[in-house]
Amino acid sequence: MDAQRALLDELMGSARNLTEEERRGYKEVSWDDREVCGFYMVRFCPHDLFVNTRSDLGPCPKIHDPKLKESFENSPRHDAYVPKFEAELSQFCEKLVMDLDRRVKRGRERLNQEVELPPPPPLTAEKSEQLSVLEEKIKNLLEQVESLGEAGKVDEAEALMRKVETLNTEKAVLTQPQNEKVLMLQEKKMALCEVCGSFLVANDAAERTQSHVAGKQHVGYGMVRDFINEYKTAKEKAHEEERLAREKEVEERRKQKEKDNERKRRSDSSDREKYRDKDRDRELDRYRDRDSERERSREYEVRLRGHRDPGREMDSRSRNGKNGGRDRYRNRSRSRSPIRHNYRRS
C-alpha cells in the first residue's frame, strides 16, 4: 500500500485527494522551504540519533521526507546549498559535543574522587589473638603433612591438607574488610566512555562492552564527532587551497608586472634612440642650411663688389686665381660643417 501510495503521489501529486476548498489553501512543499530540515537533506538529523536514550533530543520540528531529499540531490542547486546546510549542521553538532564534554569532565572528576579507597580498619585484640592461633595451627599441620609425605602416608597427609584449607578460609574471613562500600568498590571499578559519556564497569564482559559500543547513544555521538572532524578537515583544506591560489595569483601578477616594466623600459629606450636620431638629423639640417646661407651670402657680396668696381673684380679674380688654393682652404676651414668633417653631436 505504501509503495502504491508513493507511486500515486509521484504521478498525481500529494494533493490528489483534496477537495477544491482544501486545495485553495494548500501549498506544495519544496526542499528549500523553511519547514524542511536541512540537516536531513545534507547528512543526518541529530534528533533521529538518540531516540529513547538518556540523550534524546525529542522529535525534530521540521519535515523529514525521503522524496524531498531525493529532489534535493537531483536539483541543479544542490552544490550551492550543501555548504550552507553543512555549516548549520556543524554548529548544531558542536553545541551537542560541548555539552557532552562538560558532562564527561564532571563524571571524570567524580570517578577520581571515588577511586581513593579508605584504608581497612585495624583488627581488634580478639581477632588478632584468633589470627595468631590459626597461623600457629596451620604451621603445625603443614609440618605434619610434610612428615607424612616423607613416610609415604599419602591418605593421612591429604586429610591434614583439607584441615589446612579450612583454617585458611577462617583466616581470610578474619582479615577481609567488613565495610560494604569498600567491598563494592573493590568488586566493581567504574570507567567512563569518552565518546558518549556513559559510565561502564571496568574489565566488564566483552558481550556487555560490545553491546554498549553498538548502542544508539554511543553510535550517535560517534557520528556527530566524525562529522565535525570531517567538516573541519575539509574546511581547513579549502582554506589552504584558497591561500595557495591567492599566492599563485600574486606571483603571476608580479611576473606580469616585471614583464610590463621590461617591455616599457625597452620601449622607452627605443623612443629615446628615435628622438636622439631626430635631434641629430635636425642638427645636420641646421648645419646644411647654415652652409648654404653662407655660400649664398658670399656669392652675393662677390657680385655686388663686381658691379661697383669691375677692375678690382678682375684683379680680385687674378689674385683668386693665384691664391685659389689658399682661399679654398680658408673657406673650408671657416665652414665647420658636420657633413664635411664627420661631426656627430652627442
Side-chain angles (χ1 to χ4, degrees):
M1 292 294 293
D2 292 339
Q4 292 177 2
R5 189 180 297 109
L7 180 61
L8 289 173
D9 289 343
E10 184 177 355
L11 293 175
M12 303 176 62
S14 58
R16 66 186 185 282
N17 295 326
L18 299 180
T19 63
E20 293 294 334
E21 234 178 90
E22 292 173 340
R23 290 191 182 190
R24 289 173 189 170
Y26 177 77
K27 178 186 175 184
E28 189 74 24
V29 180
S30 177
W31 61 263
D32 56 349
D33 291 341
R34 293 185 178 180
E35 296 83 5
V36 179
C37 180
F39 304 161
Y40 176 78
M41 292 290 108
V42 72
R43 287 296 185 92
F44 57 85
C45 181
H47 293 82
D48 297 339
L49 300 179
F50 308 107
V51 178
N52 298 328
T53 65
R54 288 186 303 169
S55 302
D56 195 347
L57 302 176
C60 181
K62 296 188 176 182
I63 299 173
H64 292 187
D65 191 348
K67 297 177 188 176
L68 295 177
K69 186 170 185 177
E70 183 180 356
S71 175
F72 168 69
E73 292 174 352
N74 297 328
S75 172
R77 295 182 295 162
H78 173 270
D79 295 340
Y81 273 78
V82 165
K84 176 178 178 293
F85 290 158
E86 285 187 346
E88 294 175 355
L89 178 59
S90 175
Q91 292 178 1
F92 190 89
C93 290
E94 285 180 357
K95 185 177 181 301
L96 283 179
V97 171
M98 287 174 61
D99 295 340
L100 175 64
D101 289 341
R102 282 195 290 268
R103 293 205 307 269
V104 169
K105 183 179 179 181
R106 289 196 298 267
R108 193 182 297 115
E109 292 174 354
R110 196 175 77 183
L111 282 180
N112 292 336
Q113 293 174 359
E114 293 177 354
V115 163
E116 298 178 0
L117 299 177
L123 296 176
T124 61
E126 182 181 357
K127 288 185 177 181
S128 297
E129 186 178 354
Q130 292 177 3
L131 184 62
S132 300
V133 172
L134 287 173
E135 290 177 349
E136 187 66 26
K137 287 182 179 180
I138 292 171
K139 182 179 178 182
N140 294 332
L141 288 174
L142 290 174
E143 290 178 355
Q144 293 177 17
V145 168
E146 186 177 357
S147 301
L148 292 172
E150 291 176 356
K153 300 177 180 180
V154 178
D155 295 336
E156 296 177 2
E158 289 180 354
L160 291 179
M161 281 301 299
R162 284 193 289 272
K163 290 183 180 180
V164 170
E165 291 176 359
T166 303
L167 294 176
N168 282 328
T169 304
E170 294 178 3
K171 178 182 176 182
V173 171
L174 288 175
T175 55
Q176 71 180 4
Q178 300 299 320
N179 193 336
E180 294 182 359
K181 184 177 180 181
V182 174
L183 288 173
M184 183 182 68
L185 290 175
Q186 287 179 347
E187 291 176 359
K188 292 186 178 182
K189 184 178 179 183
M190 302 302 293
L192 187 67
C193 179
E194 298 291 337
V195 176
C196 63
S198 300
F199 285 98
L200 306 173
V201 177
N203 302 321
D204 201 356
E207 293 80 6
R208 297 190 64 179
T209 303
Q210 186 64 29
S211 176
H212 166 75
V213 171
K216 282 186 179 181
Q217 184 163 317
H218 189 90
V219 172
Y221 277 113
M223 288 179 63
V224 169
R225 292 182 185 275
D226 291 342
F227 169 73
I228 292 175
N229 294 333
E230 180 183 347
Y231 179 77
K232 288 183 178 180
T233 303
K235 197 172 182 179
E236 291 174 358
K237 183 179 179 181
H239 286 168
E240 182 66 17
E241 291 177 354
E242 185 178 354
R243 184 185 64 81
L244 294 176
R246 286 199 303 267
E247 291 180 356
K248 184 178 180 180
E249 184 179 358
V250 170
E251 183 66 18
E252 290 178 354
R253 287 181 180 178
R254 184 186 65 79
K255 290 181 180 179
Q256 185 64 33
K257 187 176 181 180
E258 289 179 356
K259 289 181 181 179
D260 294 342
N261 292 336
E262 181 66 19
R263 192 180 300 112
K264 185 178 179 181
R265 186 182 63 80
R266 292 179 180 177
S267 177
D268 293 344
S269 176
S270 177
D271 292 341
R272 284 196 297 271
E273 290 292 335
K274 291 179 181 178
Y275 294 146
R276 191 178 297 117
D277 293 339
K278 288 181 180 180
D279 292 340
R280 187 164 53 249
D281 293 341
R282 282 197 294 269
E283 190 69 21
L284 292 174
D285 293 340
R286 196 179 298 117
Y287 276 112
R288 290 193 192 98
D289 294 342
R290 191 181 301 166
D291 291 342
S292 300
E293 185 67 26
R294 286 178 180 174
E295 289 292 335
R296 286 195 297 270
S297 177
R298 191 176 298 110
E299 291 176 358
Y300 177 75
E301 290 178 358
V302 169
R303 285 198 299 270
L304 184 62
R305 210 179 285 122
H307 285 295
R308 291 178 180 176
D309 193 356
R312 183 180 299 176
E313 182 180 357
M314 294 296 296
D315 295 339
S316 174
R317 287 179 180 176
S318 61
R319 283 194 303 271
N320 287 337
K322 294 178 181 179
N323 302 323
R326 191 190 313 171
D327 292 339
R328 282 193 297 271
Y329 176 76
R330 289 177 180 175
N331 290 334
R332 283 197 302 269
S333 63
R334 288 172 184 171
S335 177
R336 296 293 181 180
S337 173
I339 298 175
R340 297 175 181 175
H341 298 280
N342 295 325
Y343 176 77
R344 286 186 175 269
R345 182 181 178 186
S346 58

